[in-house]
Amino acid sequence: MSLDWIYFAISWILLRWHALWDAIGISDGRVLGTNWAWILSIVFLVVTLRVILFPVFVKQIKSQRAMQALQPKVKELQEKHKGDRETLQKEMMELYKVEKANPLMGCLPMFLQIPVFLGLFHVLRRLNPDNPRPTLYGWTADQFRDATHSALFTVPLPAKFGSSAAELTQLGYTGAGVTVKIIAGILVLTMMATTYLTSRQMILKTGWAEDPQQKMIQRLMLYGIPLSLLVSGSLFPIGVVIYWVTNNLFSLAQQQWVLRKFPPPAMANAKAGTSSARPATSTTVAKNGAKSPVQSAGRGLFGRKQAEPEAATPVVDTKALAPKPGAKPMNPKKGTRPATKPKG
């Protein structure tokens, strides 16, 4: 299956943003050794795609909420079919089908961005002065030449951490090779860190899944993917790493907004048999043992006087009142005047 349509789409968005920055006066002239028009084009390529994928992201959050609501039922099935993994998996798939929950929905936005990532990787890899087909995918010869010589702090955007001296020379780079490795290395480490933080942010807010399959996916996204970037990141053009880092930063901000606006249910992180919130009373005592001014005044949050709590009936300890073994019986009426017999 040809992926040319992806390459055309990525190129079209990238070139439209570049034309916009060029129109408002951000040219391809270097400032601090950087062609900011192309850097901003990559950044806003991310913004465009994330806006398009926002409905999918909302579906991802809804699916995660549905999976959290099913955790008690999942735990019951795990207890019921302990030791019978085949039956457990069958029952869980049936549960997901009935409740219309999809455990793989949480990874859908990432899967949808894979073609975009591959498309940008292919487009940037073509940026070579010796490329015999510079006008492929809707590029003009001038756009292709400018993009080929674009740089971040003098390092060409098509360059990689593992680029050889011959490849850098082919890109027209005349600086030190160690500069390329420093810039690319910092970007790769940033890419790894932001990838980890993106997954960690979601897991801390929603909690670890009870379903072993879901938990395995969470661990893979939290640890496996960032570690894999340590090796594969050296093969990515710097422009692609900029795209990935920008995408992660956008994800962190978007997740923070969504999780604050639509917080996970309290049951997701609460232990069984405990209440997620307790009503405050006028006798609530702070950790340092002192009552707050509002509480000590017996007033509520808005200054309204609260009803005084009813006095609790003291509990009589009958064991403490009972005579001890071997003790002499005592007359409770001793010391009082004996009752007189009625006359008559």
Side-chain angles (χ1 to χ4, degrees):
M1 179 180 176
S2 175
L3 297 178
D4 284 355
W5 66 275
I6 295 179
Y7 307 148
F8 272 105
I10 296 299
S11 296
W12 187 86
I13 297 173
L14 193 65
L15 294 175
R16 296 291 76 75
W17 279 113
H18 183 268
L20 175 63
W21 302 126
D22 191 50
I24 64 178
I26 302 178
S27 64
D28 289 326
R30 294 189 180 185
V31 179
L32 298 177
T34 302
N35 300 91
W36 293 107
W38 286 108
I39 299 295
L40 289 173
S41 298
I42 294 174
V43 169
F44 279 84
L45 168 66
V46 174
V47 175
T48 303
L49 295 173
R50 293 309 299 259
V51 169
I52 294 172
L53 292 176
F54 184 75
V56 179
F57 180 76
V58 173
K59 288 184 178 180
Q60 174 195 14
I61 297 297
K62 290 181 177 179
S63 176
Q64 288 175 341
R65 297 293 184 269
M67 293 298 298
Q68 290 167 9
L70 288 178
Q71 290 309 307
K73 294 183 179 180
V74 170
K75 200 166 185 179
E76 288 180 8
L77 289 176
Q78 290 173 343
E79 293 293 333
K80 182 179 178 181
H81 302 291
K82 187 180 295 184
D84 189 353
R85 188 174 183 83
E86 183 177 353
T87 305
L88 174 62
Q89 291 296 330
K90 183 178 179 181
E91 291 288 337
M92 288 175 57
M93 290 299 105
E94 185 66 24
L95 175 64
Y96 295 151
K97 182 179 179 181
V98 171
E99 299 293 339
K100 297 180 180 179
N102 186 355
L104 298 178
M105 187 66 190
C107 302
L108 184 59
M110 183 183 68
F111 289 146
L112 290 178
Q113 291 185 71
I114 290 177
V116 178
F117 170 79
L118 294 176
L120 184 62
F121 183 89
H122 178 77
V123 169
L124 293 180
R125 191 176 57 179
R126 293 186 63 256
L127 297 179
N128 189 314
D130 297 331
N131 194 320
R133 304 177 66 186
T135 58
L136 195 62
Y137 308 134
W139 290 68
T140 66
D142 290 340
Q143 289 171 335
F144 187 86
R145 182 181 64 256
D146 292 339
T148 300
H149 294 89
S150 61
L152 174 66
F153 302 124
T154 71
V155 176
L157 292 184
K160 304 180 289 291
F161 180 87
S163 293
S164 63
E167 291 173 337
L168 294 176
T169 301
Q170 196 175 23
L171 291 172
Y173 179 71
T174 57
V178 67
T179 304
V180 176
K181 294 190 180 301
I182 291 174
I183 297 297
I186 292 173
L187 286 173
V188 169
L189 292 176
T190 305
M191 176 174 64
M192 293 174 61
T194 52
T195 300
Y196 170 79
L197 290 175
T198 302
S199 299
R200 183 174 180 270
Q201 180 190 51
M202 184 65 72
I203 292 174
L204 286 180
K205 291 290 185 180
T206 60
W208 287 95
E210 295 288 343
D211 178 14
Q213 182 180 4
Q214 277 287 303
K215 197 168 186 178
M216 181 181 67
I217 294 175
Q218 286 179 323
R219 290 187 181 279
L220 175 63
M221 295 182 67
L222 183 62
Y223 302 114
I225 294 178
L227 288 176
S228 68
L229 295 176
L230 185 62
V231 177
S232 58
S234 63
L235 305 176
F236 297 160
I238 287 177
V240 173
V241 181
I242 292 173
Y243 167 85
W244 194 305
V245 171
T246 306
N247 185 66
N248 287 344
L249 294 175
F250 196 96
S251 295
L252 284 168
Q254 189 179 60
Q255 286 179 176
Q256 180 66 23
W257 179 82
V258 171
L259 290 171
R260 180 171 294 182
K261 191 172 181 64
F262 305 103
M267 61 167 289
N269 294 320
K271 294 181 180 180
T274 61
S275 175
S276 59
R278 295 183 180 179
T281 64
S282 60
T283 58
T284 302
V285 180
K287 290 183 179 180
N288 59 3
K291 295 181 180 180
S292 66
V294 174
Q295 292 166 342
S296 61
R299 296 186 178 273
L301 181 61
F302 299 101
R304 295 180 181 178
K305 190 173 182 180
Q306 295 178 335
E308 292 294 332
E310 296 181 1
T313 303
V315 179
V316 179
D317 190 352
T318 56
K319 292 184 178 180
L321 297 178
K324 297 181 180 180
K328 294 182 179 181
M330 296 179 62
N331 184 3
K333 295 184 178 181
K334 187 176 181 180
T336 61
R337 295 181 63 182
T340 58
K341 295 182 179 180
K343 294 181 180 181

